[in-house]
Amino acid sequence: MKSTKTVPQRYERGDVPGEGPWPLPDHVFHLADAENWRSIQRHGLHSTVALIRLAGLVEHEARAFRDYRAERMRLPSGAVIRDQRPMPPSSLQKCLQEGLTPRDWYDLVNAKVFFWIDQDRLGRHVAACAGRSQMLITIDSRRLLERYGDVAFVTPFNVGNARRRPAPRSERSFVPWKVWMVTRWESEAITARASRLPSHPPAELAIEGSIPDLVEFVIETRPV
């Protein structure tokens, strides 16, 4: 693993998932709070739910971290958890479908760790975090999915943002990786709404739970 200031490989928008032997870019990206980097190196990358469990919090203590976070929060373990200001409950209520509540959505998101696939989205996230030191982690997508494909999902849009004109969303928005490899977005389509074109590129890669061996898939790291 090396640290470098080289700009990560860009995902070209002209590439159509599924046309080549590997339907994703070679690299995906995780932006971590710099304070968490040492722990990630030692213990791996964990979802918010996993971090709460590792901190020994249960019931109402845990719920304070699992519900909407208007500001970044720090667990008793020292781990920093990001705020969720781009998806307040009032915005989610306008776009959630199939009976989901904002709390349901936070539970779905908090149970996963996320990687950017699209470079432009990554750039916007980096800009939004400009006030705090971050570590940009570049990951070998093929090796990661060879090991974690059974608990991997792709999303058609940024599931952590519900402002402006938010996309309709439900649990279907998290399409299992192995399903997407075969049928692309067919399973994401909600009744009476046409499915997305197969050429629609995924925005994010999500892994359920934890990746304790994350360092095995790291290509490079860069403070931003």
Side-chain angles (χ1 to χ4, degrees), residues 15-127:
D15 293 344
V16 177
E19 286 191 350
W22 183 244
L24 294 183
D26 292 337
H27 300 157
V28 293
F29 311 96
H30 181 81
L31 193 64
D33 191 292
E35 289 191 44
N36 290 342
W37 176 231
R38 181 170 294 183
S39 176
I40 292 171
Q41 288 178 293
R42 293 177 177 176
H43 308 296
L45 186 62
H46 300 279
S47 67
T48 297
V49 169
L51 287 171
I52 290 170
R53 184 174 61 250
L54 290 169
L57 301 182
V58 296
E59 297 179 356
H60 69 281
E61 293 177 327
R63 181 50 66 181
F65 291 91
R66 294 182 65 166
D67 281 344
Y68 173 64
R69 299 185 295 274
E71 302 292 339
R72 65 192 290 271
M73 300 178 73
R74 188 182 299 275
L75 287 162
S77 62
V80 173
I81 301 178
R82 294 194 186 280
D83 67 78
Q84 295 173 318
R85 282 179 287 181
M87 53 173 181
S90 58
S91 295
L92 283 175
Q93 287 172 349
K94 300 174 184 177
C95 59
L96 287 173
Q97 300 190 346
E98 299 188 315
L100 262 64
T101 66
R103 174 172 282 189
D104 293 332
W105 189 254
Y106 297 133
D107 284 344
L108 284 169
V109 171
N110 287 335
K112 300 169 180 64
V113 295
F114 290 86
F115 300 89
W116 289 114
I117 297 173
D118 181 270
Q119 187 90 143
D120 292 336
R121 295 176 187 272
L122 167 65
R124 290 195 291 271
H125 191 186
V126 170

